[in-house]
Amino acid sequence: MPMIDIYAAAGTFGDPHQLAIDAAATVKSVEQVPDIPMFRKNTAAFVHELPGKAVANVDGEGNYVRVQVLTNAGALDRDKQVAVVRQLTDLVARAAGDPSLINRTWVLLTEAAPGGWGLWGHAHTNEELVGAARAEIAKLKQ
């Protein structure tokens, strides 16, 4: 149940809401979790539009995008890491209508330590998240 944060200068994206939907769907798809409400309702993206002067590299250029994906520990193996970085980078460039943004998009993959993933008012371990998913799948099959 990843949380995705996308940071860019205001006006970079024509439809930030659609970008948030597409980013959440992309990461959920790459992660290959079951298509159950637990994952659909709790995989979310946030698009943060910053003032134009709030982003800069060493030379003062601010036409960059930063994407941070937070998952529970071990959710993305190496193949999934490569896929999510590629797909989110391509998505950002398409959403901005700027193919050159592929070269100016940073994607950070961060894992929450076991117990460092809060949902439903509880700090979950990976085992607890897996158990909750299995319980929801069993309930949906009834």
Side-chain angles (χ1 to χ4, degrees), residues 44-97:
F46 304 80
V47 178
H48 307 271
E49 294 186 297
L50 306 171
K53 299 288 184 182
V55 180
N57 66 10
V58 175
D59 294 328
E61 301 162 331
N63 55 350
Y64 286 83
V65 174
R66 176 179 179 256
V67 180
Q68 183 165 7
V69 179
L70 174 64
T71 62
N72 58 306
L76 300 174
D77 62 21
R78 182 64 184 144
D79 289 340
K80 291 177 182 178
Q81 290 171 340
V82 170
V84 81
V85 169
R86 172 82 275 148
Q87 291 180 33
L88 286 175
T89 300
D90 291 346
L91 174 63
V92 161
R94 278 193 315 275

Side-chain angles (χ1 to χ4, degrees), residues 8-70:
T12 299
F13 306 112
D15 189 347
H17 183 72
Q18 188 61 53
L19 174 58
I21 293 168
D22 294 344
T26 296
V27 177
K28 182 184 165 300
S29 174
V30 170
E31 197 176 24
Q32 299 175 349
V33 295
D35 191 27
I36 58 176
M38 176 181 168
F39 295 118
R40 293 187 64 79
K41 301 292 184 191
N42 293 295
T43 299
F46 304 80
V47 178
H48 307 271
E49 294 186 297
L50 306 171
K53 299 288 184 182
V55 180
N57 66 10
V58 175
D59 294 328
E61 301 162 331
N63 55 350
Y64 286 83
V65 174
R66 176 179 179 256
V67 180
Q68 183 165 7
V69 179
L70 174 64

